[in-house]
Amino acid sequence: MPTLILVRHGRSTANTAGLLAGWTPGVALDERGAAQAAALPGRLDGLPLSEVVSSPLQRCQETLQPLLDARPDLRLHTDERIGECHYGDWSGRKLAELKDEPLMEVVQTHPSAAAFPGGESMRAMQTRAAEAVREWNARVERDHGADAVYLMCSHGDIIKSLVADALGLHLDLFQRISVEPCSITAIRYTRLRPFLVRLGDTGDFASLAPREEPTGDDAPVGGGAGAP
């Protein structure tokens, strides 16, 4: 079965503003995110991509544009199932405010039981994304062969949930996974099991350096802004 390259979108204006974007329209890449997107074709140079699939949200489409410009033979497919979690009433709110919501503790420690008011559950989010990957795996293998490589551009919580699915981890453990903006995660699928071969690779180790302000114990809902 194929190898899937998962790219989280570049840093967005919502990331730097500390907002939980969700499906809020008009959330674009910031200056750093645009630079991350511009560097993506070089990072993927030499990797034969058979298909490119994206979340419908603007920040993902902008992340892929330089790659599509560099490889005009690739056609972009859009799949809503790998779009961001529907955070409902939480969408567009500041993460600093949301940390005091009782639901946030559930999101952090028992996400399989978390459902966002006016939105969807995290369990439903993982299910739709995993179903999309399985369908695309079959389509890519049918059209391009079992050794094909294809790419999906999605969002932090979606990618974390797909990594958990590939590793056989319960969704309640997915907050232990971290994927920074424009990071690359690769999963090689086989008949018997998936293999996680890259996780959150940015090629930049700046985010590992100590920060002036402690990052805290909570996982950043939506994926966080990455290195300062």
Side-chain angles (χ1 to χ4, degrees):
M1 296 180 71
T3 296
L4 169 60
I5 308 298
L6 288 162
V7 177
R8 186 183 165 202
H9 62 79
R11 197 174 74 176
S12 73
T13 53
N15 292 144
T16 45
L19 300 176
L20 185 62
W23 284 70
T24 305
V27 177
L29 298 182
D30 67 6
E31 185 176 352
R32 178 170 182 165
Q36 291 170 332
L40 190 60
R43 294 169 63 198
L44 297 173
D45 187 41
L47 190 61
L49 297 175
S50 58
E51 302 283 358
V52 174
V53 189
S54 177
S55 156
L57 295 173
Q58 178 179 341
R59 52 198 183 273
C60 286
Q61 305 263 331
E62 288 181 351
T63 298
L64 288 177
Q65 194 56 55
L67 177 64
L68 296 171
D69 291 342
R71 301 199 192 189
D73 56 312
L74 288 175
R75 183 167 67 92
L76 179 65
H77 305 273
T78 299
D79 194 326
E80 291 197 356
R81 295 173 297 176
I82 62 167
E84 180 64 284
C85 184
H86 291 276
Y87 295 117
D89 298 343
W90 278 27
S91 299
R93 291 182 60 188
K94 285 191 172 293
L95 289 164
E97 298 172 357
L98 292 170
K99 69 178 183 179
D100 296 325
E101 294 278 355
L103 177 60
M104 183 59 86
E105 185 178 10
V106 182
V107 170
Q108 292 292 329
T109 62
H110 190 19
S112 65
F116 296 97
E120 70 179 334
S121 68
M122 302 197 90
R123 190 172 62 253
M125 172 200 74
Q126 183 187 42
T127 298
R128 64 173 164 86
E131 287 177 350
V133 166
R134 281 162 174 75
E135 288 183 20
W136 275 101
N137 281 348
R139 176 174 173 175
V140 169
E141 181 173 8
R142 181 197 68 205
D143 295 344
H144 303 283
D147 295 327
V149 179
Y150 74 107
L151 182 148
M152 282 185 169
C153 186
S154 189
H155 307 266
D157 282 347
I158 294 287
I159 294 173
K160 288 163 57 177
S161 74
L162 289 171
V163 170
D165 175 75
L167 292 176
L169 292 177
H170 196 283
L171 185 61
D172 286 346
L173 300 178
F174 100 126
Q175 297 290 28
R176 302 183 183 196
I177 300 165
S178 176
V179 289
E180 292 196 359
C182 224
S183 63
I184 293 174
T185 294
I187 302 171
R188 180 173 295 123
Y189 289 88
T190 74
R191 185 175 64 86
L192 296 180
R193 65 183 63 84
F195 293 92
L196 178 65
V197 293
R198 294 288 189 279
L199 176 61
D201 187 346
T202 64
D204 180 359
F205 296 103
S207 63
L208 302 180
R211 301 191 185 185
E212 292 183 5
E213 296 182 6
T215 55
D217 296 328
D218 286 345
V221 180

